[in-house]
Every structure is written in structure tokens, then in C-alpha cells.
Amino acid sequence: MADKVRILLVDDEPSIVKMVGKRLEVEGFDVVVAMDGQEALKAAQTQAPAVIILDLMLPKLNGYEVCTALKE
């Protein structure tokens, strides 16, 4: 069996994380969740996701700041 594709889901709304995360898991993805920009950066570095689904309005660091940091 092939390894699951890992997706980093970044959102500070628990209802959105629950809904989107569950759907991705049903489709066979490995879902890693971060609830703010700082968690997102740490998870991106340690979990090596293939895809990041990133909200723009986040606490600590917003989505634009996360994108900028990931590009560096």
C-alpha cells in the first residue's frame, strides 16, 4: 500500500478544521492541523506536507506572513 499524501490544514476555526479535515481523511489523505501561523511554520518544517491549505486570517502570523516565511 502506498503512503498517504500529507496535507497541512491551517485554520483557527475548529468547525472548519473538523469539516475539511474529516473530508480529506475520508479521501485517504494524512491530515496535519495547525491552528495559527506559528504552528503552521513549525508543522511545515517538521511534517513535510505535500500540500498546505492555509487560511489568511490567522492569529500570531497571518497567512501572508506564513507564505513569505515558507518561501525563505
Side-chain angles (χ1 to χ4, degrees), residues 11-58:
D11 202 304
D12 61 330
E13 292 291 330
S15 61
I16 292 174
V17 170
K18 183 177 179 182
M19 178 182 60
V20 175
K22 187 65 163 174
R23 183 64 189 166
L24 291 170
E25 288 173 348
V26 166
E27 293 296 326
F29 295 100
D30 177 26
V31 179
V32 176
V33 174
M35 301 295 285
D36 64 52
Q38 288 178 345
E39 283 183 30
L41 288 177
K42 184 178 280 188
Q45 293 170 347
T46 61
Q47 299 296 317
V51 175
I52 300 174
I53 299 174
L54 179 63
D55 185 21
L56 294 178
M57 302 300 292
L58 295 167

